Amino acid sequence: DEEEFVLIEDKQEEEEEEEDEEDEVFQRHRSSGDDWELCKELPPRTVGHTWQLAYSTSRHGASLKSLYRKLSTTDSPVLIVIKDALDEIFGAFLSHPLRLSETFYGTGETFLFMLRPRFKCFRWTGENSFFIKGDLDSFAIGGGSGHFGLWVDENLYLGRSSPCYTFNNCCLSETDDFRVMELEVWTFS
């Protein structure tokens, strides 16, 4: 009986280790050194701060409400990193954490980026101030002319990226519509 118990316990530990390995897509990417370009783009107020994983769909589930709850106690800027079904990695740096809002908020520190397969950063153009907006159905980063630079649904599963006036960006993913395989939100403490 003891042997069976040990086997089950070992199996559970292995599964937890595998889950930890699946988590933190961006942490693995950061470790490879490929993100140096992104680090150079971060505002000076983030330099020297420790990066902390505040939310991950693989750890915390896929719910925008849960994401808002996890970020409700922080005033740190955040980095949103998305891995899509085509294994591309892209996202946004937000001057303020995601929250429910009736209007757009944030500052010109906010930007969009593509990380893999190639790096490209899209900074504020000054055309408008449509930085960050969150409601119960979705969140959006950047806007203008009816298009969002980055939009993700309430289930953190479907997304869309379009060129927008705020950042003069291209589509961040290979296709306008994409499926989120992993979404992580990092804070700076």
Side-chain angles (χ1 to χ4, degrees), residues 16-74:
E16 287 173 5
E17 287 174 12
E18 286 174 11
E19 286 174 10
D20 287 345
E21 288 174 13
E22 290 171 6
D23 286 352
E24 303 179 19
V25 168
F26 186 59
Q27 182 66 38
R28 282 196 317 259
H29 191 71
R30 284 181 62 209
S31 299
S32 71
D34 296 336
D35 71 324
W36 178 242
E37 293 295 321
L38 179 60
C39 290
K40 290 192 311 187
E41 298 293 334
L42 296 175
R45 71 179 171 131
T46 64
V47 174
H49 289 267
T50 303
W51 299 47
Q52 290 189 318
L53 183 63
Y55 185 87
S56 165
T57 51
S58 61
R59 282 189 184 183
H60 305 105
S63 164
L64 185 55
K65 288 179 186 176
S66 294
L67 173 56
Y68 289 148
R69 271 193 302 277
K70 285 281 185 189
L71 295 177
S72 66
T73 59
T74 186

Side-chain angles (χ1 to χ4, degrees), residues 100-118:
L100 285 172
S101 60
E102 292 184 18
T103 59
F104 280 90
Y105 64 95
T107 71
E109 280 185 327
T110 301
F111 64 86
L112 298 174
F113 63 88
M114 300 179 344
L115 202 54
R116 190 173 73 194
R118 65 188 175 103

Side-chain angles (χ1 to χ4, degrees), residues 65-161:
K65 288 179 186 176
S66 294
L67 173 56
Y68 289 148
R69 271 193 302 277
K70 285 281 185 189
L71 295 177
S72 66
T73 59
T74 186
D75 60 356
S76 165
V78 299
L79 190 70
I80 297 175
V81 182
I82 295 171
K83 179 180 172 186
D84 71 5
L86 299 175
D87 214 30
E88 295 183 343
I89 299 177
F90 51 89
F93 174 84
L94 308 182
S95 60
H96 296 79
L98 276 173
R99 60 177 164 81
L100 285 172
S101 60
E102 292 184 18
T103 59
F104 280 90
Y105 64 95
T107 71
E109 280 185 327
T110 301
F111 64 86
L112 298 174
F113 63 88
M114 300 179 344
L115 202 54
R116 190 173 73 194
R118 65 188 175 103
F119 177 78
K120 186 134 175 90
C121 186
F122 303 96
R123 294 230 169 250
W124 180 41
T125 62
E127 288 289 316
N128 62 38
S129 296
F130 300 151
F131 299 115
I132 310 161
K133 184 171 186 329
D135 57 36
L136 292 174
D137 299 325
S138 62
F139 72 81
I141 314 299
S145 174
H147 300 284
F148 299 116
L150 179 60
W151 175 91
V152 177
D153 77 342
E154 65 187 319
N155 298 314
L156 306 179
Y157 182 68
L158 297 176
R160 173 173 271 262
S161 178

